[in-house]
Amino acid sequence: MIALRNLSKEYVDGPRVVRVLSGLDLEIERGERVAIVGESGVGKSTLLHILGTLDRPTGGEVWFDGENLTSKSDRELALFRNREVGFIFQFHHLLPDFTAVENVMMPALIAGTATAVARARATALLTRVGLEERLEHRPGELSGGEQQRVAVARALVQEPRALLADEPTGNLDPVTGEGVQNLLLELNREHGSTLVVVTHSASLAGAMDRTLRLHAGRIASDEPRAAAV
């Protein structure tokens, strides 16, 4: 479903050229669950952003279900992200002046979905993640775990084929983090979406089908769950 071909990413820092990713080749199957791990600064988040078209590679290609995304315009990529990709970050990035249900509705409204339809979808998802009593609460009235569950629901409201998460449990206490981890796995099974997670959590990485370990901008190892550490 997702394929990278000889992918590289560089940043210019004054007179220096900093190479973050180099010569990556990768294939991720539809519905697969993949963890990306490695030390800080090895390019994990950069890779995730490129997979989700939030950033463009310096070289190489990104393919999604037979489409070469690197050939698309910024407008085409924005439409692609809204339709096909759900994002979950370590910090939830909820809009503080909007309620939980309004936050979840937002991607659908941006896509032009009728308000009543978007609200029905958002309400169903918030109920599914256990927040049916918090629909009209604003982020400041929710706990950290509740805010992250709102973010998960928002990522799913467009029924994306790929769900990308960057340290989704990194800002949560262990018990709450385990709850969010289990929720992501359950929703992956229910919706069949491909799940790619950047994480430092051994527990979350161990629950994935595969673990990719990055080192010096390259894939140092690609291990199935039974061999993942």
Side-chain angles (χ1 to χ4, degrees):
M1 180 182 183
I2 301 173
L4 306 181
R5 300 283 183 258
N6 196 30
L7 189 89
S8 65
K9 180 63 181 180
E10 298 174 347
Y11 294 101
V12 176
D13 181 16
R16 298 190 308 145
V17 176
V18 180
R19 173 157 284 195
V20 181
L21 300 172
S22 180
L24 264 66
D25 290 297
L26 174 64
E27 291 191 0
I28 300 173
E29 299 295 332
R30 185 183 306 278
E32 193 173 15
R33 302 178 300 188
V34 178
I36 301 172
V37 303
E39 300 297 326
S40 296
V42 298
K44 301 186 300 297
S45 293
T46 298
L47 175 56
L48 197 75
H49 290 173
I50 290 174
L51 285 173
T53 73
L54 290 173
D55 198 359
R56 288 183 180 269
T58 305
E61 297 175 340
V62 180
W63 290 78
F64 186 94
D65 207 17
E67 287 188 274
N68 184 357
L69 300 182
T70 44
S71 67
K72 294 185 178 295
S73 68
D74 288 346
R75 175 173 170 75
E76 288 172 326
L77 290 179
L79 293 171
F80 167 83
R81 283 192 299 274
N82 179 265
R83 183 180 68 248
E84 303 288 5
V85 185
F87 295 95
I88 305 167
F89 300 100
Q90 180 175 358
F91 299 98
H92 47 76
H93 299 301
L94 300 178
L95 299 172
D97 294 330
F98 291 84
T99 65
V101 72
E102 289 168 341
N103 268 280
V104 176
M105 291 168 61
M106 202 60 65
L109 294 176
I110 290 170
T113 304
T115 300
V117 174
R119 181 174 289 275
R121 278 192 212 164
T123 299
L125 280 166
L126 286 169
T127 298
R128 171 60 187 83
V129 301
L131 294 176
E132 62 272 20
E133 303 298 327
R134 297 286 190 269
L135 299 179
E136 301 302 328
H137 286 62
R138 288 179 169 79
E141 301 169 318
L142 302 173
S143 69
E146 288 172 336
Q147 291 173 22
Q148 194 66 310
R149 281 186 277 163
V150 173
V152 170
R154 179 183 59 188
L156 289 168
V157 74
Q158 287 288 79
E159 300 180 348
R161 288 190 284 170
L163 188 61
L164 309 181
D166 194 351
E167 295 287 2
T169 62
N171 200 38
L172 303 173
D173 65 81
V175 173
T176 305
E178 183 179 2
V180 170
Q181 171 182 315
N182 292 337
L183 177 63
L184 287 173
L185 297 175
E186 290 170 9
L187 292 171
N188 162 261
R189 288 191 291 268
E190 291 172 11
H191 292 262
S193 55
T194 302
L195 176 61
V196 183
V197 179
V198 165
T199 185
H200 283 102
S201 167
S203 172
L204 181 53
M208 300 292 106
D209 299 322
R210 292 160 61 196
T211 296
L212 306 176
R213 186 172 297 277
L214 293 189
H215 178 71
R218 297 179 180 271
I219 297 175
S221 64
D222 182 350
E223 302 289 348
R225 176 165 45 195
V229 177

